[in-house]
Amino acid sequence: MSVLDATPGGDLQALENELLEAIGAAGDLNALEKVRIAALGKKGRISLLMKSLGTMAPEERKAFGQTVNGLKQRVSDALSARKDHLDAAELAGRLATEQVDISLAVRPGPLREGRIHPVSQVMDEINEIFADLGFSVAEGPDIESDYNNFTALNIPLEHPARQEHDTFYFNEKADGSRRVLRTHMSPVQIRTMLQEKPPLRIIAPGRVYRGDSDQTHTPMFHQVEGLVIDTETHMGHLKWVLEEFCKAIFEVDIVKMRFRASHFPFTEPSMEVDIGYTMVGNEMRIGEGDDWLEILGCGMVHPNVLRNVNLDPEIYQGFAFGVGIDRIAMLKYGMPDLRAFFAADLRWLKHYGFLPLDVPTLAGGLSR
Ligand code: DAH
């Protein structure tokens, strides 16, 4: 049909029927948009009718114009009604297919899939135990000055302990000073005593580095350093704190402990502590039996160390200790090879790791 044939009441009625039918038949918003363009778009059939008005005589134009306007209005109304209908249908369809089935099992999420590394867990356990004894946590950097790591701790340049530590040194600076990857957590003692006034009661857990690698040694491992400084601190306090710590960490009521005389440059006297254990089959029973395992070094802080941080040894004394965290984790959770700790093997982590919400507390149980 040519648009120009359109006359009031004649072909216009046919056009309207045709358009309304097409609108009703449009099954989705795309199809509906096509109908709209065919009718009302720039070159749409109704738009062309409107344009043809300009060529008509005034009388004719008035009547025809009214009719076409009526047609345009009805077609527009039909288009928007159909659009509302299709929108609603689409929403209903989405709601029907996107339903959540609350009877399905919970999907494994990060909280169930992820694991806390045993070393992190044991660190949290240690923090929890010492918090209960009134210790706070102190920190220091992994990259230390040679002075804090050695000299201030009464380990001068020519001291053999420097060799024993297999130190990773950085290049010498212009002023001759050297930095190191800290070989133990003891430099945090120095930092703490320089920053805070006694009485002091801190632990410092962290990473330490030594060039050493076999089944029980890795180039990076973990220690916790402890330090207590006051005016009347003595070895009895040291012994009690360590006994409480060992009972709590191994979750036993009685721990067999042995304090062996030893030597560290930063303590005098110095001791190493062994705990008794026995093997029952493959299981290691801590705190009983006649075998001994070394777990920490300790002693009374050397007067030279106190002098190095401007504390008067005639007024202040204290004790310090250093515990290998990985060692404790191996013992406590029966993990025989230290290297596996750092292999990033997800199967190992799944087996030995802890759930993120299993936060150790003294009241709730440290390991559960
Ligand atoms: N710093 C020592 C080490 O890494 C461990 C240690 C021993 C720390 C005795 C101490 C201590 O505070 O008193 O080998």
Side-chain angles (χ1 to χ4, degrees):
M1 182 193 76
S2 160
V3 208
L4 293 177
D5 294 344
T7 52
D11 287 349
L12 277 187
Q13 188 57 54
L15 175 61
E16 178 168 347
N17 291 346
E18 190 192 328
L19 287 173
L20 292 181
E21 199 176 308
I23 289 169
D28 58 34
L29 291 168
N30 266 343
L32 186 65
E33 178 62 4
K34 282 200 184 110
V35 179
R36 189 191 66 78
I37 291 170
L40 301 173
K42 228 167 158 189
K43 291 188 179 144
R45 289 161 76 181
I46 295 177
S47 308
L48 291 180
L49 284 175
M50 301 294 275
K51 270 187 201 151
S52 70
L53 286 174
T55 62
M56 291 180 178
E59 275 305 295
E60 202 187 352
R61 184 192 302 163
K62 193 174 172 207
F64 190 68
Q66 267 176 8
T67 317
V68 176
N69 264 329
L71 166 64
K72 187 182 173 188
Q73 191 59 49
R74 287 188 297 280
V75 169
S76 296
D77 289 350
L79 279 167
S80 68
R82 184 68 186 160
K83 183 170 184 308
D84 288 349
H85 173 80
L86 289 174
D87 279 343
E90 191 192 273
L91 180 62
R94 269 227 312 277
L95 288 176
T97 54
E98 288 178 9
Q99 256 174 13
V100 176
D101 183 350
I102 58 167
S103 67
L104 283 176
V106 178
R107 283 204 199 117
L111 277 181
R112 288 171 151 262
E113 287 287 285
R115 290 291 184 279
I116 301 294
H117 196 286
V119 168
S120 304
Q121 184 81 5
V122 169
M123 274 193 181
D124 288 347
E125 294 178 18
I126 292 174
N127 290 347
E128 177 71 13
I129 294 167
F130 281 105
D132 189 54
L133 296 175
F135 286 64
S136 52
V137 172
E139 290 179 313
D142 293 32
I143 298 174
E144 250 310 351
S145 64
D146 182 293
Y147 180 81
N148 283 346
N149 194 80
F150 292 121
T151 315
L153 287 161
N154 201 31
I155 315 176
L157 256 184
E158 64 286 356
H159 198 285
R162 290 200 174 216
Q163 269 81 58
E164 283 163 27
H165 277 202
D166 293 316
T167 311
F168 291 114
Y169 285 100
F170 285 77
N171 290 339
E172 223 172 77
K173 288 201 205 162
D175 64 5
S177 68
R178 265 186 315 187
R179 292 197 296 170
V180 301
L181 284 177
R182 65 182 172 200
T183 59
H184 52 176
M185 288 306 291
S186 303
V188 180
Q189 278 189 32
I190 302 299
R191 290 176 173 273
T192 306
M193 288 189 283
L194 286 173
Q195 275 159 24
E196 291 168 41
K197 290 219 161 346
L200 293 173
R201 220 185 279 174
I202 57 114
I203 55 164
R207 295 192 178 110
V208 300
Y209 306 83
R210 291 182 200 177
D212 208 353
S213 185
D214 59 37
Q215 187 167 341
T216 52
H217 296 88
T218 48
M220 188 278 288
F221 57 105
H222 302 84
Q223 284 189 342
V224 60
E225 180 83 10
L227 176 72
V228 172
I229 301 286
D230 208 336
T231 52
E232 285 165 29
T233 310
H234 55 71
M235 292 252 289
H237 297 135
L238 167 59
K239 193 163 175 252
W240 182 83
V241 164
L242 292 177
E243 278 171 5
E244 289 303 302
F245 167 68
C246 288
K247 283 194 284 186
I249 192 76
F250 292 114
E251 300 177 68
V252 290
D253 293 331
I254 301 169
V255 160
K256 241 170 102 175
M257 295 174 80
R258 181 166 78 175
F259 288 74
R260 248 182 319 107
S262 181
H263 176 265
F264 299 103
F266 30 86
T267 43
E268 181 59 38
S270 302
M271 289 159 292
E272 278 170 322
V273 175
D274 303 332
I275 52 170
Y277 74 96
T278 188
M279 293 300 289
V280 181
N282 266 341
E283 194 198 334
M284 187 171 207
R285 297 252 172 95
I286 309 278
E288 46 187 276
D290 295 324
D291 291 318
W292 297 100
L293 217 128
E294 183 200 322
I295 57 157
L296 62 91
C298 63
M300 300 304 294
V301 177
H302 196 291
N304 285 349
V305 174
L306 295 172
R307 283 187 200 103
N308 287 340
V309 294
N310 311 313
L311 291 178
D312 182 351
E314 297 301 324
I315 302 174
Y316 293 108
Q317 334 82 50
F319 61 83
F321 53 88
V323 187
I325 296 178
D326 315 81
R327 228 3 190 349
I328 301 247
M330 288 171 83
L331 283 175
K332 181 163 181 183
Y333 295 114
M335 300 173 289
D337 191 339
L338 181 61
R339 288 167 299 193
F341 281 42
F342 309 108
D345 181 341
L346 282 177
R347 292 162 308 171
W348 183 88
L349 195 56
K350 259 221 135 82
H351 182 76
Y352 287 111
F354 294 81
L355 288 173
L357 292 179
D358 277 354
V359 180
T361 65
L362 288 178
L366 282 180
S367 53
R368 275 186 277 181

